[in-house]
Amino acid sequence: MTADFVELDQSSVSGILHIGGTILGTTNRDNPFAFKEHGEVTDKSQMAVDVYHSLGLECLVVIGGDGTLNIAHELSELGLKIIGVPKTIDNDLVLTEVTFGFMSAVSVATEALDRLHTTAESHHRVSILETMGRDAGWIALFAGVAGGADVILIPEIPYNVDSVHQKILQRRKKGKKFSLIVMAEGAKEEGVTLSDKKTKMSYVLEDALEKRGFESRCTVLGHLQRGGSPVSYDRIIATEYGYQAARLIIERKFNQVLVLQGSEITSVALDRVSGLTKFVPVDHNLIMASRAIGVSFGDEIKKEEIKS
Ligand code: F6P
């Protein structure tokens, strides 16, 4: 049994507010319940429990997204005391309005859209920006609104190419020779299932639009969204999440996850969060507002109206 740990004191966390990443070297890839080693998958959870007890820990503060908090929940069932802190760029944890990391990713995606705007406009092209978001379209929605995208495609609203085509044409009629599309990596075209997991829907859309006569360029933002300096909003909520986590430890209130609701950070039981995904509601205010000003979500032309 190896107990690899770092003792944290004030000096270890001093001067890191403005940088991203992890000072611990932690990763969300190693699941102690299904640990991959030498081509085999084994359950090493008891080892994690033993290390926890051998170090005399009072609780584990677990910082991460759905995968991490699910593991934390399973560990809590083995008797470990947990405090969860919602950190993911995906913003898809239930019961919390904003996870930290999300606004930084939105800001990177918005800046990318601004840059693509310039070149799309000069070259009279359709620019497609693919953001992260396998299951939930939060980054695409927020960046799309902030970056003034003409079309926003998210997993929660399956799209058809006819609706996207129509929006581009409408803009052309108004003298706008370019269009900006932002799509989440998990956006789904109605009736299409990709056989190859490596194929990206953003490239499929780029192809489809090219075939319809629109010069198109696709940019996959990928991991650029997960790196670099956090925006001030994330620094602020991370500071408060940290403070509230410490408060829970002092109060010995365990097996809780911190959540931001309204302007307040409170906590809810870990089992109310684990295993669930916060999808973008299809009637979210930002979707309604965007539709009202003519943004397409790729679903305006209904299935029955599409000629085969
Ligand atoms: O959950 C965070 C996230 O960045 C997702 O948005 C994305 O789909 C996934 O991780 C990418 O994972 P990986 O870094 O393993 O490619």
Side-chain angles (χ1 to χ4, degrees), residues 29 88-90 132-134 185 223 226:
R29 282 296 166 265
T88 163
I89 64 164
D90 297 336
M132 279 187 174
R134 275 166 307 193
E185 62 183 322
H223 294 86
R226 274 205 325 219

Side-chain angles (χ1 to χ4, degrees), residues 219-233:
T219 305
V220 178
L221 204 46
H223 294 86
L224 285 175
Q225 286 154 104
R226 274 205 325 219
S229 190
V231 295
S232 49
Y233 180 81

Side-chain angles (χ1 to χ4, degrees), residues 163-180:
S163 296
V164 178
H165 183 147
Q166 171 178 271
K167 176 65 191 172
I168 299 169
L169 281 185
Q170 281 168 356
R171 284 179 53 76
R172 292 217 165 170
K173 281 189 194 135
K174 287 188 197 148
K176 301 274 190 185
K177 295 183 180 137
F178 72 100
S179 292
L180 283 182

Side-chain angles (χ1 to χ4, degrees), residues 10-300:
Q10 286 222 334
S11 70
S12 17
V13 293
S14 162
I16 61 170
L17 192 60
H18 64 294
I19 51 175
T22 162
I23 56 166
L24 294 175
T26 45
T27 155
N28 67 356
R29 282 296 166 265
D30 295 331
N31 178 353
F33 292 88
F35 196 82
K36 290 187 192 130
E37 205 175 30
H38 315 305
E40 278 179 26
V41 179
T42 42
D43 182 351
K44 300 241 181 188
S45 54
Q46 194 49 50
M47 188 186 272
V49 173
D50 292 345
V51 169
Y52 173 96
H53 290 303
S54 72
L55 294 175
L57 301 183
E58 279 177 76
C59 77
L60 276 188
V61 178
V62 178
I63 305 169
D66 53 352
T68 306
L69 293 179
N70 288 345
I71 295 170
H73 180 237
E74 285 184 78
L75 288 172
S76 76
E77 289 178 333
L78 297 181
L80 268 56
K81 296 191 175 73
I82 304 286
I83 291 171
V85 184
K87 183 218 66 166
T88 163
I89 64 164
D90 297 336
N91 196 35
D92 59 354
L93 292 178
V94 294
L95 298 177
T96 192
E97 281 160 32
V98 195
T99 56
F100 75 92
F102 170 60
M103 285 302 182
S104 298
V106 168
S107 152
V108 171
T110 304
E111 193 192 332
L113 267 180
D114 289 348
R115 289 174 187 272
L116 292 171
H117 198 142
T118 316
T119 169
E121 191 165 9
S122 316
H123 293 263
H124 304 166
R125 281 176 180 154
V126 175
S127 255
I128 303 168
L129 176 72
E130 183 193 289
T131 66
M132 279 187 174
R134 275 166 307 193
D135 306 310
W138 294 103
I139 300 176
L141 175 63
F142 274 59
V145 170
D150 307 299
V151 180
I152 301 175
L153 305 175
I154 59 175
E156 294 84 348
I157 306 179
Y159 67 91
N160 54 71
V161 182
D162 284 21
S163 296
V164 178
H165 183 147
Q166 171 178 271
K167 176 65 191 172
I168 299 169
L169 281 185
Q170 281 168 356
R171 284 179 53 76
R172 292 217 165 170
K173 281 189 194 135
K174 287 188 197 148
K176 301 274 190 185
K177 295 183 180 137
F178 72 100
S179 292
L180 283 182
I181 301 176
V182 58
M183 70 191 287
E185 62 183 322
K188 297 177 187 78
E189 185 180 341
E190 279 167 12
V192 174
T193 322
L194 293 176
S195 46
D196 178 1
K197 280 204 176 126
K198 287 217 175 292
T199 311
K200 291 197 152 284
M201 279 316 293
S202 50
Y203 287 124
V204 174
L205 179 63
E206 178 189 46
D207 252 21
L209 293 176
E210 284 271 341
K211 284 196 185 108
R212 290 171 182 236
F214 302 112
E215 199 184 347
S216 307
R217 293 288 185 274
C218 175
T219 305
V220 178
L221 204 46
H223 294 86
L224 285 175
Q225 286 154 104
R226 274 205 325 219
S229 190
V231 295
S232 49
Y233 180 81
D234 275 335
R235 301 179 196 194
I236 291 163
I237 59 169
T239 301
E240 203 181 338
Y241 273 129
Y243 165 71
Q244 295 295 350
R247 200 180 48 79
L248 287 182
I249 299 171
I250 292 165
E251 290 171 7
R252 307 194 62 74
K253 203 171 162 196
F254 300 123
N255 298 337
Q256 297 279 306
V257 180
L258 292 167
V259 291
L260 175 64
Q261 294 176 342
S263 55
E264 228 187 301
I265 292 182
T266 53
S267 69
V268 297
L270 185 55
D271 59 10
R272 290 185 59 201
V273 171
S274 95
L276 300 171
T277 302
K278 183 184 70 179
F279 296 108
V280 177
V282 294
D283 60 351
H284 188 281
N285 277 348
L286 277 182
I287 296 183
M288 303 311 268
S290 301
R291 286 198 195 272
I293 55 168
V295 173
S296 165
F297 284 83
D299 64 340
E300 291 74 23

